[in-house]
Amino acid sequence: MNDLVRQHTALGETDLEWLHLLVSEWQLLSDLSFADLVLWVPTLDGTRYVSVAQMRPNTGPTSYQDDMVGHLVPRGRRPLLDAALDEGRIVREGDPEWREEVPVRVESIPVRREGRVLGVIARNTNLLTVRTPSRLELTYLQSASDLAQMIAAGSFPFPGQQVDMDASPRVGDGLIRLDADGVVTYASPNALSAYHRLGLASDLVGQHLGKTTAELAPSRGPVDEALVKLASGWAPRETEVEGNSGVIQLRAIPLKPKGTRIGSLVLCRDVTELRRRERELITKDATIREIHHRVKNNLQTVAALLRLQSRRMDSPQGREALNEAVRRVGSIAIVHETLSQNLDERVEFDEIADRVIAMVSEISPGKVDCRRTGRFGILDAEIATPLSMVLTEILQNALEHAFTQGERGTVEVAAIRSGTGRTDGRLLITVLDDGSGLPEGFDPQRAGNLGLQIVRTLVEGELGGTFDMLRAEPRGTKVVLDIPSSPQK
């Protein structure tokens, strides 16, 4: 709509904002009217109209099988548009049009803002299924007529009240019509069912909706005056009411077709099951985070016990083996600590990688500078846990075997992530040191030390990737990991 308005019309940005506000609300008018809506705006030279938006009803058959947005119509071809634009009134005169053997009643509603007519809404009603209207349909049509008059007068939509139609109640969810005193004159079956969920035992018609709603909603103090006012439809507001183990969502729309409030529409939706599921998810998320927190604490306890045991050992080899185990357990604990702070099972792995690098750097026999370049990005826990162990083993191996006591050097961890989707990406990780390099005849696929066995098992088995160790030029060792950036099914 932005492009069409700016390309073809003389409307300014504030006018465009008003049209956006209207379009965000007009599903309500379409459903109440059982009709398609097309918004026509005059072009810059005033000789044509351009259709900038379209809405089909959820309550009836459509009048347009094709998309009308972007169509240009010369002025004079549709007299109802001309009359509504020039005279600033709702135009209903004229015989039904026939479109593909379907009779369609066309009406034109001027869109007014601050005294100026910006465009015209063409309301197109499919008459093929016309029958004697029920009480519900008559209430819908009367409410649609009131809203149309408010649009023509410039009092609807309500400024500063842009509504998220995906989250707000719709006409079909439940509709209540109030008179000027807030007394219910009509309640649809769905609306009545929603109030029965709150604990209402009688009919709604004839009752003051605000007071009835406040009585059904539990309160420790006096009656909630704000709730009474909102449910009475005095102002355009939304709220949720909970009572008797039920939750309903309310949206009030004051009706002022001639400038004076004659009543209100209240849309309501039973959201009891939705809120129950949301609470279950919140509880589940909290439980999962607590589990990760406890796993982290248990792992830190295990690491502390291993560290105590290593201090009591006389064998240097045994002490070093236990210290390696401490670092392996610590790398897993870092992942669980991060997961305990997140709302989902995904982590920012760059922070984990930096903490692993810092932890392993403590064992460096020389003055080795460890650093990271590139970004790992966000990874699922199924990737992050084994990858943290792999990174720990590779860095530990580099710092123990590449440098002698007191020797200076660098170890760089580089990460390159490819692919734009969550399921089709790859992660290329290179660990490069400038140490002594690999011994002659060394085969990383057959080397028998425990660390490399862990790396091979995790990379090829759990991560579904590849692992290789190469001589670096002019000296040192390069370890290359190529793994999927998402779990493999």
Side-chain angles (χ1 to χ4, degrees), residues 305-379:
L305 292 173
L306 291 173
R307 197 176 292 112
L308 286 172
Q309 187 65 42
S310 71
R311 293 171 184 169
R312 293 176 175 269
M313 295 194 69
D314 297 327
S315 168
Q317 292 85 357
R319 188 182 302 115
E320 182 55 33
L322 286 177
N323 287 334
E324 289 182 0
V326 168
R327 287 187 287 274
R328 288 165 184 150
V329 171
S331 66
I332 303 174
I334 290 172
V335 177
H336 283 282
E337 181 181 2
T338 305
L339 287 168
S340 70
Q341 301 167 1
N342 290 352
L343 294 176
D344 57 13
E345 292 289 287
R346 309 189 75 204
V347 295
E348 177 62 67
F349 196 80
D350 295 311
E351 178 186 350
I352 293 175
D354 291 341
R355 292 181 62 180
V356 167
I357 291 170
M359 178 183 68
V360 178
S361 296
E362 296 175 0
I363 70 167
S364 173
K367 298 179 180 179
V368 180
D369 176 28
C370 295
R371 60 176 180 266
R372 171 181 63 85
T373 61
R375 284 183 53 81
F376 289 86
I378 297 175
L379 298 177

Side-chain angles (χ1 to χ4, degrees), residues 79-81 83-85 87 89-93 106-110:
L80 297 186
L81 293 182
L85 183 69
E87 301 172 23
R89 65 179 180 89
I90 298 175
V91 182
R92 295 189 175 92
E93 301 86 359
V106 181
E107 304 165 84
S108 296
I109 305 167

Side-chain angles (χ1 to χ4, degrees), residues 5 11 24 27 41 92 100 107 195 265 286 343 395 421 483:
V5 169
L11 299 182
S24 73
Q27 180 74 65
V41 180
R92 295 189 175 92
E100 299 179 357
E107 304 165 84
Y195 267 82
L265 283 181
L343 294 176
L395 289 170
I483 62 173

Side-chain angles (χ1 to χ4, degrees), residues 346-357 371-380 383-392 394-395 412-419 421-422 425-431 463 479 481-486:
R346 309 189 75 204
V347 295
E348 177 62 67
F349 196 80
D350 295 311
E351 178 186 350
I352 293 175
D354 291 341
R355 292 181 62 180
V356 167
I357 291 170
R371 60 176 180 266
R372 171 181 63 85
T373 61
R375 284 183 53 81
F376 289 86
I378 297 175
L379 298 177
D380 291 317
I383 297 291
T385 301
L387 182 57
S388 67
M389 287 194 66
V390 168
L391 197 58
T392 299
I394 293 173
L395 289 170
E412 180 180 298
V413 179
I416 301 175
R417 189 162 180 169
S418 61
R422 180 173 173 178
R426 305 288 299 181
L427 191 57
L428 182 66
I429 304 165
T430 304
V431 181
L463 296 174
V479 179
L481 305 174
D482 185 358
I483 62 173
S485 59
S486 59

